[in-house]
Amino acid sequence: MILLDGKKTAAAIRSELSEQVAELATTHGRAPGLAVILVGDDPASQVYVRNKEKACENAGITSLAFRKPADVTQQELEDLIRDLNTREDVDGILLQLPLPKGLDSQACLDLIDPAKDVDGFHPVSMGRLALGLPGFAPCTPAGVIELLKRHNVTTAGKRAVIIGRSNIVGKPMAMMLWGYGDFANATVTVAHSRTPGLKELCAEADIIVAAIGRPHFVTGDMVKDGAIVIDVGINRTDNGLVGDCDFDAIKDRVSAITPVPGGVGPMTIAMLLKNTVQSYKGRVGA
Ligand code: NAD
């Protein structure tokens, strides 16, 4: 069984990026800059943002934080995004989701300059991904692909079942797995809350990607011997952080599996840094 160690892999990517950033900053006179907008005081969002800031700092990327109270107006938020779109020192703009009630997150995402859309949530980024054109891919599914690549786990010709159809994980994950290229070419089924016969569907899958948000939703009887299991779920329980898959019931029968924590989570941040460096390179002409 291959343990798809996201912590180690992400650390390797971050170290490669910091070497690149040091060199690029010397040549081009400035470091890449990532603007992070955090609205309100959701505790999980605060932790995510702090982790992103720390990761930027360690990689030599300038992190510019914009913290706004929960009662910020839509207008004020949109003005901030418009301003960040024009700033030379900002290569990436990240709007931490979810936004507090009353704010229109899609309207804000739509305003982000696609050239700075390092989260890959802008309709242009999603469209380019769907068409197989270069652009920013959402960080979590991109992290899954990178994790598989770096462990030499291939997907071509395999049957994949993705559980969850969210815009940030399930949908882009499907596009990345069924697309062209060395690490795609899988035959993909996207399952969701209205999918009948999910157990049987999963039991036939060569690859399962779980992105549901329910602790231990994927049980041992849903996974066939030798399958590849990617657990995207992050669930806070009384027993700490757990994934969407029952790791202990599955681990001895699969060919590869991600742990939670230490699997997909760290890869998401590494991909955010990678996208920021990619944006910077495009903008400075490196
Ligand atoms: P979401 O709530 O937007 O989507 C959940 C999906 O699960 C929906 O499409 C829904 O149809 C499906 N679902 C719900 N109940 C189901 C059922 N009984 N059977 C089949 N499908 C069902 O969630 P999301 O934003 O995609 O996140 C999913 C999980 O991944 C969460 O735990 C989240 O915290 C985690 N997550 C982790 C990372 C990371 O970096 N590791 C990033 C994003 C999300």
Side-chain angles (χ1 to χ4, degrees), residues 159 199-206 222 224:
R159 281 173 303 174
K199 249 186 202 302
E200 294 73 21
L201 207 60
C202 287
E204 290 197 347
D206 304 309
M222 291 169 76
K224 78 170 183 186

Side-chain angles (χ1 to χ4, degrees), residues 216-285:
H216 294 175
F217 181 89
V218 176
T219 47
D221 56 341
M222 291 169 76
V223 179
K224 78 170 183 186
D225 288 353
I228 298 159
V229 177
I230 307 294
D231 192 347
V232 179
I234 300 176
N235 306 291
R236 275 157 237 281
T237 71
D238 293 343
N239 301 320
L241 276 192
V242 300
D244 286 351
C245 301
D246 188 351
F247 184 88
D248 289 332
I250 295 168
K251 68 176 191 315
D252 295 326
R253 291 194 294 107
V254 294
S255 62
I257 188 165
T258 58
V260 177
V264 178
M267 292 300 293
T268 298
I269 295 189
M271 291 299 105
L272 172 67
L273 302 182
K274 194 174 172 206
N275 280 351
T276 304
V277 174
Q278 181 190 320
S279 168
Y280 167 90
K281 281 161 99 176
R283 297 181 71 250
V284 299

Side-chain angles (χ1 to χ4, degrees), residues 155-160 176-179 183-188 207:
T155 55
K158 294 183 175 146
R159 281 173 303 174
M176 285 182 218
L177 282 174
W178 76 44
F183 269 78
N185 297 304
T187 302
V188 181
I207 303 169

